[in-house]
Structures are given as structure tokens and as C-alpha cells.
Amino acid sequence: MKSHAKAVVIGGGVVGCSVLYHLAKAGWTDIMLIERSELTSGSSWHAAGGFHTLNGDPNVAKLQAYTVQLYKEIEEISGQSCSLHLTGGVMMADTPERMDFLRLAHAKGRYLGMDTELITPSEAKAMFPLMDETNFVGAMWDPVEGHLDPSGTTHAYAKAARKLGAEIVLRNRVVELTQEVDGTWNVVTEQGTIKAEHVVNCGGLWAREIGRMVGVELPVLAMEHMYLLTEPMPEVEEFNKSTGREMIGVLDFKGEIYTRQERNGILLGTYEKACKPWSPVNTPWDFGHELLQPDIDRIAPSLEIGFKHFPGIEKAGIKQIINGPFTFALDGNPLVGPVQGLTNFWCACAVMAGFSQGGGVGLALSNWMVHGDPGFDVWGMDVARFGEWATLRYTNAKVRENYSRRFSIRFPNEEFPAARPAQTTPLYDTMLANNAVMGDSWGLETPLWFAPKGSEPKDIVSFHRSNDFGAIGEEVCATRERVGVTEIANFAKYEVSGPGAEDFLNRLMTNRMPKTGRIVLTPMLNEFGRLIGDFTIAKAGEERFMIWGSSAAQKYHMRWFEKHLPKDGPRASEVRIHRFDQTLVGLSIAGPKSRDLLQKLVDVDISTKAFRFMDFREMAVGGAPCMVNRITYTGDLGYEIWMAPAYQRLVYKAIKEAGEEFGLVDFGMRALLSMRLEKNFPTWFRELRPIYGPFEGSMDRFIKLEKNDFIGREAAAKEQAAGPKLRRVSFIVDAADADVMGDEPIWAKVGDKDFGTVEKPHGYGAPRFDAGGKEVRGSNAAEGASAVRGIVDGNWRVVGWVTSGGYAHYVEKSMAQGYVPAVLAENESAGLFEIEILGHRRSARINVEPPFDPSGEKMRT
């Protein structure tokens, strides 16, 4: 074993071997993988081996499609078979609500280039005759599903990596990780110490323990997962013989089960409600190629439904029950990327769907390590997406909840209860007393909407407009016409100070920094000119700046800030960054009466001339020391008021009392988001993401290319000179009783024009066959004439996608934001666009100017 390496990968499961292969493929050959036992000794060896491309996050789905395509490549390089079986698969819906979910998934697949199809239960039965189709109302066919040999696939990655120069050391546990002053890691193992520039935690079941070696508690938990294998079944053998094909894979939401053919029998797995964690505090190092004791009683409710839905399986004998641990993060997606606060310590863990996601994880992480950027929008997998509130107990509660809902659909207005409340502001009890429906905003309880007095403060979950619709409308209209107050503690808050603060921020941000007492809005770009942040910045003093941004991106942005701090020489101590988190909280008042209200609470002149739009000032509000921004996200006259938590109740009480004469109302986050739609305001992680350039995002007026050499300037200048290919636009939609939720395809009547905006992911394609072996394509009987397969329909084609939207209550319009080809971005013609909502294409028209106060006069008054 060598003593030095550029990178050491810890863990020899499918993910670790994929990372090793991709690093070697990218040109890093001085790399090694260290495994405590044998390859696949954690979860990989007993995995069911299924793979698919669909994912709730379209960006993760793209990486899953890449993973499936990759298998032929590693087979050819390694000479090791993955035993790939590309059978295709169906998701079965037993209720109209689950069918709506499949319509949404099918629509997402359109702009991803996936070849999914909505079909009838009878068509599904033709490909899996063991089911009773009368239990279902519809299904979705996906040709890029199947299964493989987990061990063979892992070894194919490993052999391919070795052929490219990587080293693998087995039976050698890592026992300690330390870091030198120069950033070099000491990877202390049972066989000696390796000096490494980079360390990658692919520890799988032991990822939590590896994290603890460097002082990090990763939000990951292993869960027991069971699947059973039947004895050979004559029905399976007959189907194979008569069609020359395998049976397809089937996912049954109601039964919380998945099933597919395994040899001459059936494999059936469950994600049962009565789930059970495995080793919730510590993972034993001596656990290896072992299985856990099966507990068929725990999965009996799922099996009961499964046998009813698939009676052909009920009479089969059970050959074996596999029960083994798999790791999960809070939301079921992986934890990938550099850990904030550490240098060159990387994660690729909690990849429970390793044979769907392992290749994409390896590609993204290797890009990140070698080139400084993952090359994809991987926010859905970024280890930085969770904060300090994701403690061990919080993680254990949330993972259990996520596991038990693995095959449950999530509605757009659905909030999950486990581990809540975790963080609360001083106003939490007051908000509940005001009949607030609370939501989880990056671990913080935040008011979503206020139910009418006498009614239960509870969401009725739906894909359609629900019981919050009327109340939100009242909150919006009262705010627009009088004045409203909302809590804004769920913003990110930072202070950057020191003699180098302004130079530092000018280097990071695209806009010029403000003068003392003034505010600017500014994006932040990466080296490739892509949007990685959107901030409000106030100059609070000569060497002091206050910054507000997206709460969910706090760790993500702190990681970027720290990366670019001056580190050497006399400038090393010139910049200090402080993240407030919940040590600074806030309230916002907005509406035409907000100035009158605030003037009653302060002892300084806040008239239009004395306190201008985009001014910042420190002042006492209701007797409490506060910082006040003359700006709101509603796009109306308004103010953001920031204070220490100790003063929040005092300030809120003063606002409520002074606001009575003005008809003050409380409004929640959903009303705020409705009002921002009326102003065409974008929001971070929906409209503004690392896959878009600043001019694509229509952020032109905040990009000052002439100011200095800020990060991403050269790429942004090239984008401006060439012209953006895409543009963020706002639509008014002819919706019915359901509004867009995000990720819907945008259709345009453009004939054969090719705008290059729909990129079909690489992957295998598998046609669909009936029980007689005849190919079946495009019947869509489950949907009727309104649904069209693919991304082209006569003169109509999918040209873009929705990023967010909803109902704009004050202007009484259903609205959406999204990206379309730049050449179409200012075309307000009627009849040009349609947006697909729950399987139905609705007319949509671009609205270049915001429908509320297009001149911006109200917020500047």
C-alpha cells in the first residue's frame, strides 16, 4: 500500500467504486479506495438490484438516466458483466389522486426526453399477467427500468477503475482521520497511514462513523429493508416461453410494494409503514456479509394488499426472505459534495438507490473534485442542503417518516409532522393562537396561512386548489389594499465586516456594492457564470455589510464564502463572516398603509424623502433596537424589520396594536409567494439555479460587467455577447381548478423549429409488448385524446419547463414562471403556448410586464 495519494475513497460499495472509476476516468490516477472488508460488504451485496430513471427532482432524474447508460461502458472497459435486464416497468395507480401523480410524473418526463406513457390497467396486465387489473385506474409505463447483478456491477466499476490506474486496498479499516495545517489529510488505517489531498466518505452503513472522525454528524440512518423471493412459478415460465421476454417491474403505491421477475420466480419488496431502524446510534464495525432476522409480521399489511392486487403471487411458495440494512437521508436523496467548514473532505453517501444513482453520483462528485463544479444542478443531493438542526434524533425521526412514505405521493401543500417543531421563533405560540397553519422552512416553523377563526388550522392536501385558497386570497387583498404583517425569520442572514469586506463582496457579487445606508439586489455566479445565489445587501457601516438570502442555502453559501476568503498574507484577517441563523429574526409589513403604521412606532422621520426605497437604517421600532430595510418581497410599499429574538414579541405586539386602525392582517408564506408572482419576481432554487446564466434568468439589470473582475464575469460577458439561449418568463395561464406546481412542460405552436432546449438524456430504450409478444405503442387509452406521447404533437412541441407558479389572488390570474427559448421570450401572442397541468394542456400567454404595478410606482412611493 502506498503512503501518498491525491485522493482516498473510503468504502467499497457501488458508490465508492463508481466515484473511484469516475475520478480515474477524469484523469486522476494517483487515487486509491480503502475498504474495511471485501467489495460490496455493506448494503450493495444484498440489494434487490433494481434501477429506474424517474425521480421527484428532474435534475436527479437526469443523473439516474446517465447511470443506466453507463453500464454498457463499464462492462466494455472491465470485461465484467453487470447482468443487465432492461425490462421496463409500470407504476400502478389505484385512485384518481395517484393517477394525478402519474400525470405529473409523465409531464416531467416530456421535457427530460423520457419515453414514458400513460396506459390502462389492462395494458399493464398484458405485460405482468399476475395482477388483477380491476384494482387499478391507470398506470405509467417507463421503458428505462430493469434490474442487474449488484455484485457484478460493483466489481465492474472496480475493475474499470483499476484498468485506468486506480488502486484498491481491501481488508483495511480506516480508524482515524486528521488534517495538517497545510490541509493534507492523514488517513490512518490498520495497515498504515496515507497522506492524501482529498478524502471521500463513501462509507455507506459506516458513513456516519466516518463523518464523526472529522467532527461531522451526517443526517443518515440505516433502515431494515425486506424483500422476498418466490419459488419458480409456472405462470412466469409460461409467459417467458410464449413471449420470449421477461415480465416487467411493477410499483404498486397502495400496497407500498415493488415486484419484478427473478429467475423463474418473482421478487417482491416492501416499504412498510411499520418500518424499523437498524443501529440508530452506532454501526458495528464487524458487521459484514450478514443478513438481519426477517420479520414477516411487520410487512404483513403490505403483503395482504399485494396478494390482493397480484393474486398470481399469493399461491407461490416463498423461497427466501432477505432483510438487510440500507442507508437513507432525511428526504431519501443522497448526500453528495464538499462538507462546509472542512477542506477537501467530500461525501457520497446515503445513496439508497445505488444502482439507479451511483453512476450519476460518481460523475457529479468527480467533476466537482477535478473541475470545481459538479457539472449538473445537484442541489437535490447536496450535503449542504441540511442545517445543524438535522441532529441524530431529528434524523432518526425524519428517515423513519420518509421510509414509511417511500411509495406515498406527496401533495404540493403537504407538510410532514415528524420531528416537529424543531426550531421556533418567540412568536410560535402566538402564531398558533392566531390560527396559523405552520410549515417547515429549513427546520424552522413558519406560518403558511391563517385559517378563519372557528375553523381547524389544517391543510386538506390536494393537487387542486384546496381549503387554503380563500383565506390566502383574503390575506393578499387585505395586504394590497391596506397593510399586512408576516414573519420573515426564515431568511438567511449574514454580516460581512472588516477592511476588506467591500472588496470581498465586489469579487463575489455581480452588482456594485451600495453606499452606506443603501441596499442593492445582486446575484452571485460561479466560475462558469451560472447562478448560485441571489441576495439583498445593505451597507450598514464603513466596514460592515448586512446580507439576506435563501434560508435553505445557508450552508451552501457559507461553503462558497469560506472558499473565497483571503487565506494568506496581510489580507487574511481583513474579512469576517458571521451567519446569524435564528439569532436574528424579522417581521415584514407591506401595503399602502405600512408607512403610516411604522411611523407610529418610530421616533424618526420615515417620509418618502427621509427614508427612500432601498434605504437601510438602524432605528428603534416600538422601543426595540432594530434594523429596517425599505423593501419587501411583495413588490408593494413595505419594510423588513430585523431584531434579536428577545425583542420580537415586543415589536410584533406594537405592530398589531398600531395596525388596528389601518385594518392590519396577518399573512403567511403562501400569500407572500402569491404576491411575488404578480410582480414576476423570481425565487431561489426554482427560477434561479446553477443551470442558468444571469441573462437567461432575466437578471440583466443586476449584472454590472464593467464594475470589476467578479467571479463568473468572463462567462457572463460571453453569455451577453452571444445572447442567452433561454429566458425566464412569466405566464398567465388559463387554468381550471388546479394551478402549476413546478416542472410542468411548456408547449409552443412552432412547427418544426428546433430551439435546442429539449435534450433527450442518454439511456436504453425498451419498447412495450403485450402478453403475446406484440409491440404496443401509443394507445394512451387511460388518458383519452388530451394526452400525447413524447415531446412533439403536430405543430406543437415542448420548448421549455415551468419552474414555479400558483394563483395570483389580487390580479385574479393563474400564473407561472419558466424557461423558454430566448427568441420566444417576448412573444405575448395568444395561442402560442400551452402548459400541461395534470395531464391537460392549458392555454398560456407570456406576460412581459408584471400584472401588478408594472411601473413599480407603489413600492417607490
Side-chain angles (χ1 to χ4, degrees):
M1 183 180 72
K2 59 188 177 184
S3 60
H4 292 75
K6 188 172 186 66
V8 170
V9 177
I10 303 173
V14 64
V15 176
C17 291
S18 172
V19 170
L20 189 73
Y21 167 70
H22 282 92
L23 284 173
K25 185 180 177 182
W28 283 16
T29 54
D30 184 18
I31 55 177
M32 63 191 305
L33 181 149
I34 299 177
E35 162 58 40
R36 49 174 278 284
S37 181
E38 307 292 337
L39 297 182
T40 77
S41 292
S43 298
S44 295
W45 75 273
H46 60 74
F51 61 81
H52 54 89
T53 57
L54 285 169
N55 187 281
D57 185 325
N59 298 290
V60 177
K62 291 178 182 178
L63 290 173
Q64 293 183 185
Y66 164 80
T67 300
V68 177
Q69 180 271 338
L70 181 66
Y71 290 132
K72 281 192 173 180
E73 176 183 311
I74 62 171
E75 282 183 330
E76 291 172 0
I77 294 174
S78 67
Q80 168 74 50
S81 172
C82 296
S83 296
L84 193 71
H85 297 251
L86 189 71
T87 62
V90 291
M91 294 183 176
M92 304 300 301
D94 66 305
T95 65
E97 291 78 16
R98 289 192 172 100
M99 198 64 217
D100 277 345
F101 173 79
L102 293 185
R103 292 186 183 101
L104 286 170
H106 177 55
K108 289 180 183 180
R110 291 196 196 278
Y111 72 79
L112 290 173
M114 295 180 181
D115 199 19
T116 60
E117 182 181 355
L118 295 169
I119 63 175
T120 65
S122 296
E123 290 175 305
K125 180 182 175 67
M127 296 180 283
F128 195 83
L130 303 176
M131 76 169 63
D132 178 356
E133 75 277 20
T134 63
N135 292 294
F136 305 103
V137 299
M140 185 176 74
W141 161 254
D142 180 7
V144 190
E145 287 192 17
H147 58 97
L148 44 67
D149 171 26
S151 180
T153 301
T154 304
H155 281 86
Y157 276 121
K159 289 179 180 179
R162 278 193 177 113
K163 286 192 173 183
L164 294 175
E167 180 179 350
I168 296 176
V169 180
L170 304 178
R171 296 173 291 282
N172 183 31
R173 181 165 72 88
V174 173
V175 296
E176 186 180 11
L177 293 170
T178 63
Q179 195 169 29
E180 303 290 349
V181 175
D182 65 358
T184 303
W185 287 96
N186 297 309
V187 183
V188 183
T189 76
E190 293 171 329
Q191 297 178 19
T193 298
I194 305 102
K195 293 277 189 182
E197 293 181 38
H198 299 263
V199 172
V200 188
N201 179 3
C202 298
L205 295 175
W206 295 269
R208 189 174 47 188
E209 277 65 30
I210 300 298
R212 289 169 182 167
M213 291 180 184
V214 296
V216 174
E217 186 67 39
L218 291 169
V220 59
L221 174 69
M223 299 292 293
E224 293 191 14
H225 179 67
M226 277 181 279
Y227 63 87
L228 59 85
L229 301 171
T230 73
E231 300 284 356
M233 297 175 59
E235 300 94 327
V236 174
E237 294 176 347
E238 174 58 29
F239 180 88
N240 298 158
K241 182 178 178 181
S242 62
T243 66
R245 301 186 61 81
E246 280 188 73
M247 287 189 178
I248 63 171
V250 180
L251 188 155
D252 176 9
F253 291 110
K254 175 68 173 178
E256 299 161 335
I257 60 175
Y258 60 90
T259 186
R260 64 166 175 83
Q261 182 174 336
E262 173 68 16
R263 299 184 182 239
N264 294 325
I266 292 295
L267 179 152
L268 185 149
T270 71
Y271 282 91
E272 67 282 359
K273 293 282 190 257
C275 56
K276 183 179 179 181
W278 179 74
S279 289
V281 178
N282 297 290
T283 305
W285 288 106
D286 59 353
F287 185 81
H289 280 81
E290 304 154 51
L291 291 173
L292 308 177
Q293 185 65 34
D295 183 1
I296 199 165
D297 290 339
R298 199 170 76 241
I299 64 174
S302 294
L303 294 180
E304 183 178 348
I305 296 173
F307 292 153
K308 177 184 176 183
H309 287 185
F310 305 97
I313 301 176
E314 182 177 16
K315 57 189 177 183
I318 298 177
K319 180 171 67 175
Q320 186 180 11
I321 299 177
I322 306 294
N323 185 19
F326 289 89
T327 56
F328 294 77
L330 312 184
D331 56 5
N333 274 342
L335 300 172
V336 180
V339 175
Q340 186 253 321
L342 298 175
T343 305
N344 291 341
F345 184 84
W346 307 80
C347 277
C349 52
V351 190
M352 59 77 49
F355 296 97
S356 293
Q357 299 173 340
V361 167
L363 175 65
L365 189 65
S366 65
N367 284 342
W368 216 335
M369 295 174 69
V370 175
H371 304 298
D373 185 86
F376 304 89
D377 184 353
V378 297
W379 171 251
M381 302 191 298
D382 197 322
V383 67
R385 71 188 185 275
F386 300 117
E388 293 83 358
W389 39 268
T391 61
L392 180 64
R393 291 192 180 189
Y394 182 96
T395 296
N396 290 353
K398 276 297 183 187
V399 169
R400 289 197 299 272
E401 179 182 62
N402 177 269
Y403 183 98
S404 70
R405 293 182 50 87
R406 182 74 181 168
F407 287 161
S408 299
I409 58 177
R410 180 170 187 172
F411 295 93
N413 62 335
E414 187 171 12
E415 296 284 330
F416 297 153
R420 293 176 57 194
Q423 297 183 92
T424 59
T425 71
L427 292 180
Y428 176 66
D429 293 338
T430 302
M431 294 295 109
L432 291 180
N434 289 349
N435 232 25
V437 177
M438 305 298 286
D440 179 354
S441 177
W442 209 60
L444 176 70
E445 295 296 314
T446 300
L448 298 176
W449 62 285
F450 292 84
K453 293 188 184 302
S455 64
E456 183 181 7
K458 180 181 179 181
D459 277 316
I460 297 175
V461 296
S462 176
F463 288 118
H464 301 260
R465 294 172 188 164
S466 190
N467 63 319
D468 62 349
F469 188 80
I472 294 171
E474 291 180 8
E475 293 171 22
V476 168
C477 291
T479 300
R480 288 281 194 229
E481 294 170 1
R482 304 190 303 274
V483 61
V485 59
T486 191
E487 193 170 21
I488 51 173
N490 62 327
F491 286 28
K493 293 87 59 175
Y494 315 89
E495 181 182 73
V496 177
S497 60
E502 186 155 353
D503 288 343
F504 172 72
L505 291 174
N506 263 320
R507 172 71 175 144
L508 262 61
M509 307 296 172
T510 65
N511 206 345
R512 295 185 183 90
M513 288 303 99
K515 296 178 180 179
T516 301
R518 293 289 289 164
I519 296 168
V520 297
L521 304 177
T522 179
M524 183 169 70
L525 308 179
N526 62 19
E527 296 96 331
F528 306 95
R530 296 296 173 176
L531 289 160
I532 60 169
D534 181 42
F535 300 97
T536 300
I537 299 182
K539 190 171 184 180
E542 194 58 36
E543 297 180 353
R544 175 172 165 250
F545 292 82
M546 292 297 302
I547 304 177
W548 292 269
S550 170
S551 179
Q554 290 183 60
K555 303 279 279 187
Y556 176 86
H557 286 143
M558 281 298 294
R559 184 174 66 193
W560 185 260
F561 295 158
E562 291 169 354
K563 178 180 178 180
H564 294 282
L565 279 172
K567 294 181 173 61
D568 301 310
R571 302 182 62 86
S573 60
E574 287 190 349
V575 181
R576 297 178 295 277
I577 302 177
H578 174 67
R579 177 168 72 96
F580 288 96
D581 202 9
Q582 294 310 309
T583 62
L584 185 68
V585 294
L587 296 162
S588 177
I589 57 174
K593 298 294 184 181
S594 58
R595 178 186 289 112
D596 296 335
L597 192 164
L598 184 60
Q599 186 65 78
K600 294 181 65 175
L601 303 178
V602 301
D603 302 314
V604 297
D605 182 7
I606 59 166
S607 63
T608 303
K609 291 183 179 180
F611 196 36
R612 300 165 297 168
F613 177 60
M614 302 291 279
D615 268 358
F616 165 90
R617 189 177 299 178
E618 297 186 71
M619 63 179 80
V621 179
C626 297
M627 294 179 287
V628 182
N629 296 334
R630 215 203 112 174
I631 188 175
T632 78
Y633 198 39
T634 68
D636 212 327
L637 171 65
Y639 307 85
E640 293 175 353
I641 307 167
W642 302 96
M643 72 289 295
Y647 295 109
Q648 192 186 30
R649 292 175 70 91
L650 172 64
V651 176
Y652 178 74
K653 182 173 183 289
I655 290 172
K656 291 286 283 187
E657 290 176 351
E660 284 187 16
E661 69 174 278
F662 304 112
L664 175 75
V665 298
D666 287 289
F667 68 94
M669 188 56 57
R670 290 180 185 168
L672 180 64
L673 293 176
S674 172
M675 287 185 274
R676 70 98 184 174
L677 287 173
E678 299 175 336
K679 290 293 294 179
N680 293 0
F681 288 166
T683 187
W684 180 240
F685 291 135
R686 298 302 300 181
E687 283 73 46
L688 309 179
R689 297 188 69 142
I691 53 175
Y692 307 121
F695 298 100
E696 288 181 326
S698 300
M699 305 293 282
D700 309 41
R701 62 196 176 100
F702 305 117
I703 313 301
K704 309 300 184 185
L705 294 173
E706 71 283 359
K707 77 179 180 78
N708 71 305
D709 186 24
F710 57 84
I711 295 171
R713 180 192 175 282
E714 183 178 347
K718 289 180 179 178
E719 181 192 353
Q720 184 192 49
K725 294 181 179 179
L726 303 174
R727 271 286 193 174
R728 174 178 63 87
V729 295
S730 182
F731 288 95
I732 292 175
V733 187
D734 181 20
D737 67 336
D739 304 294
V740 302
M741 290 159 268
D743 298 326
E744 292 89 351
I746 299 170
W747 294 79
K749 194 173 184 179
V750 293
D752 295 329
K753 293 180 182 178
D754 184 1
F755 301 105
T757 61
V758 179
E759 181 178 330
K760 188 177 179 69
H762 295 291
Y764 297 108
R768 183 163 59 80
F769 292 83
D770 64 17
K774 182 180 178 182
E775 185 177 357
V776 179
R777 302 300 296 264
S779 66
N780 285 298
E783 284 299 284
S786 65
V788 180
R789 285 186 65 256
I791 60 174
V792 178
D793 173 22
N795 289 326
W796 291 85
R797 64 171 295 166
V798 173
V799 297
W801 53 92
V802 169
T803 50
S804 70
Y807 194 77
H809 287 267
Y810 193 68
V811 300
E812 298 182 325
K813 304 288 185 184
S814 183
M815 297 191 69
Q817 290 192 37
Y819 282 82
V820 299
V823 295
L824 297 176
E826 296 186 4
N827 191 330
E828 296 183 290
S829 302
L832 176 61
F833 292 102
E834 293 179 345
I835 294 177
E836 189 171 343
I837 303 176
L838 297 178
H840 299 277
R841 283 158 49 183
R842 313 295 304 186
S843 296
R845 179 175 57 82
I846 284 180
N847 199 61
V848 174
E849 295 294 332
F852 176 78
D853 188 28
S855 67
E857 179 182 351
K858 292 182 183 295
M859 61 185 177
R860 291 177 170 84
T861 300

